[in-house]
Amino acid sequence: MNNDAGTTWARLSSRYHPVAVYYEEADSVEYIRQDVTCVYHRVDEFLTLALDFGNRDPIGFRLKGFKNFYLHHIKPTNAALDNDHFLSLVRVIEKLVETIGDSVFDDENRRAAYKTAYEIAKTDGVQLELSDAA
Amino acid sequence: MVEKKPALTVIDGDGIANPRWLDLPKIIRARSPFDPNRQCLYRIAREDCVKAARARRRQPVFEFWSILNGEPPPVPNVERYGRASAVMGLVRLTAAHACFRGIRRPFAEDDSGANILAYVLKPTQFYRYEPNLACVAQKQNVPEDVVFVAYVRMDEPCEGERIDIKGVLTHWGFVEADSANLPLPVDHASRYDERLW
């Protein structure tokens, strides 16, 4: 039986295509534009930006405590669904900012970080496959 | 006549053997959170590593091998200059110099993250993934302004005297260091509940 189709992902030469992934043990959704070393810059208890190890440019983000947030704020309203199978992370971030409230705008650095994550999600059209989410 | 049913066995995983670089150990040693002179054991979130790999994201696994497990990632040609050269400069989780408890945010069913540990290491070198015909694992120096943090979710309240404290090593990565105290993460006083050692 040819297992090539099932093991292509395990080949170290196969190219990385950025995709949002929910890591259950870490309870976080992560989206990274390149498969490189990152420095994780904590913004607050919900958001961490991923910075390129070399030049410290933002190349992704991590939404933390995702399961808790999804169950309380996303799932009841289907607020962020693009269709039945995918969550728009742009809408998740919007919902996150809405939930946090005005305090996110009081801190310039915090506001800028959320804007960065939002722009990455919007520019890249980042979606999370629903079967992956909490 | 009653036919004898075949014995069923559980297959761990999807029936396809992981490649060597994804064949992480099942457990890892660390310094006990309550007594740094003693050791304990943690399971490793292998499934999340496989999930990352399925998305072609290899760097976290390379960091596990070279910073937490003290070995070069087992990929072809990584020891082309000899074993000694390949392992030089690498550390492992037992080399952590600080341990914090409580991450002050919800973590799955834990509303406060109180049972989460953060081990802090200061590696000098590690392996990064790089598409390269000779070898996809390239050794790199670590700059002074970052530290490496490994997070553990404890399974149950620990009772101090036990040496086989169990939990799960959930994720890891570089974070910015405190410029006034370089071996520690920036804002460590506010992002963690307490420093254990």
Side-chain angles (χ1 to χ4, degrees):
Chain A
M1 183 171 68
N2 184 356
N3 283 325
D4 280 354
T7 56
T8 301
W9 59 267
R11 295 181 190 159
L12 288 162
S13 58
S14 56
R15 181 174 291 185
Y16 174 69
H17 295 283
V19 64
V21 180
Y22 174 65
Y23 295 108
E24 185 168 357
E25 293 289 356
D27 190 26
S28 61
V29 169
E30 184 172 279
Y31 177 79
I32 308 291
R33 280 175 160 167
Q34 303 163 49
D35 184 21
V36 296
T37 309
C38 299
V39 175
Y40 289 97
H41 173 76
R42 181 184 183 275
V43 176
D44 58 20
E45 61 265 45
F46 306 108
L47 176 67
T48 289
L49 290 182
L51 311 179
D52 181 275
F53 194 71
N55 58 28
R56 306 298 163 89
D57 286 342
I59 59 169
F61 57 86
R62 178 186 282 171
L63 303 176
K64 302 173 288 185
F66 188 78
K67 182 176 182 180
N68 187 288
F69 184 78
Y70 174 80
L71 291 175
H72 286 97
H73 300 286
I74 302 293
K75 191 173 183 181
T77 62
N78 290 333
L81 284 181
D82 268 350
N83 57 45
D84 287 344
H85 303 290
F86 293 93
L87 273 174
S88 160
L89 290 198
V90 167
R91 295 182 188 164
V92 171
I93 293 171
E94 288 174 345
K95 190 67 179 175
L96 184 53
V97 172
E98 177 189 316
T99 305
I100 295 172
D102 291 340
S103 63
V104 74
F105 299 106
D106 295 339
D107 182 328
E108 185 178 336
N109 291 332
R110 195 181 180 194
R111 183 179 67 240
Y114 272 90
K115 185 179 178 186
T116 297
Y118 180 85
E119 289 298 327
I120 290 174
K122 185 178 179 183
T123 301
D124 295 9
V126 183
Q127 294 179 318
L128 177 70
E129 191 168 353
L130 205 59
S131 60
D132 226 21
Chain B
M1 184 172 68
V2 176
E3 288 187 7
K4 188 178 179 182
K5 294 181 180 178
L8 298 177
T9 56
V10 175
I11 299 175
D12 186 22
D14 58 7
I16 300 172
N18 282 334
R20 279 191 64 209
W21 64 276
L22 257 187
D23 193 17
L24 273 60
K26 289 187 171 59
I27 57 172
I28 190 168
R29 287 188 176 275
R31 299 169 75 185
S32 167
F34 298 109
D35 183 354
N37 295 315
R38 305 181 76 170
Q39 291 192 345
C40 63
L41 301 170
Y42 298 119
R43 300 187 307 281
I44 298 164
R46 288 147 49 102
E47 291 73 22
D48 276 357
C49 289
V50 172
K51 186 181 273 191
R54 285 183 182 273
R56 276 73 163 178
R57 178 100 169 102
R58 294 95 171 188
Q59 187 57 41
V61 177
F62 279 35
E63 289 167 13
F64 169 83
W65 283 109
S66 58
I67 303 176
L68 300 178
N69 211 47
E71 294 184 27
V75 298
N77 296 332
V78 72
E79 296 184 10
R80 60 196 183 284
Y81 302 122
R83 172 77 179 169
S85 172
V87 301
M88 187 183 299
L90 303 184
V91 297
R92 53 180 70 234
L93 184 56
T94 47
H97 59 269
C99 183
F100 295 88
R101 180 175 185 172
I103 57 172
R104 295 184 172 174
R105 66 165 177 86
F107 192 108
E109 292 79 18
D110 185 344
D111 288 342
S112 65
N115 271 340
I116 308 300
L117 302 174
Y119 284 88
V120 184
L121 299 91
K122 187 77 173 154
T124 55
Q125 291 186 303
F126 73 106
Y127 278 88
R128 74 172 193 277
Y129 170 80
E130 180 181 298
N132 185 296
L133 287 175
C135 181
V136 297
Q138 300 293 323
K139 194 181 274 189
Q140 181 169 353
N141 292 329
V142 179
E144 275 295 307
D145 65 338
V146 298
V147 291
F148 195 82
V149 182
Y151 300 92
V152 168
R153 186 182 73 242
M154 293 191 288
D155 285 340
E156 58 194 81
C158 298
E159 286 141 22
E161 296 302 316
R162 296 174 57 190
I163 62 171
D164 58 343
I165 297 168
K166 291 185 174 66
V168 182
L169 180 67
T170 57
H171 59 296
W172 47 84
F174 287 103
V175 302
E176 295 145 313
D178 181 346
S179 58
N181 193 349
L182 283 176
L184 296 180
V186 68
D187 298 330
H188 56 88
S190 59
R191 68 202 288 177
Y192 306 118
D193 283 338
E194 61 174 320
R195 183 177 181 180
L196 298 178
W197 44 263

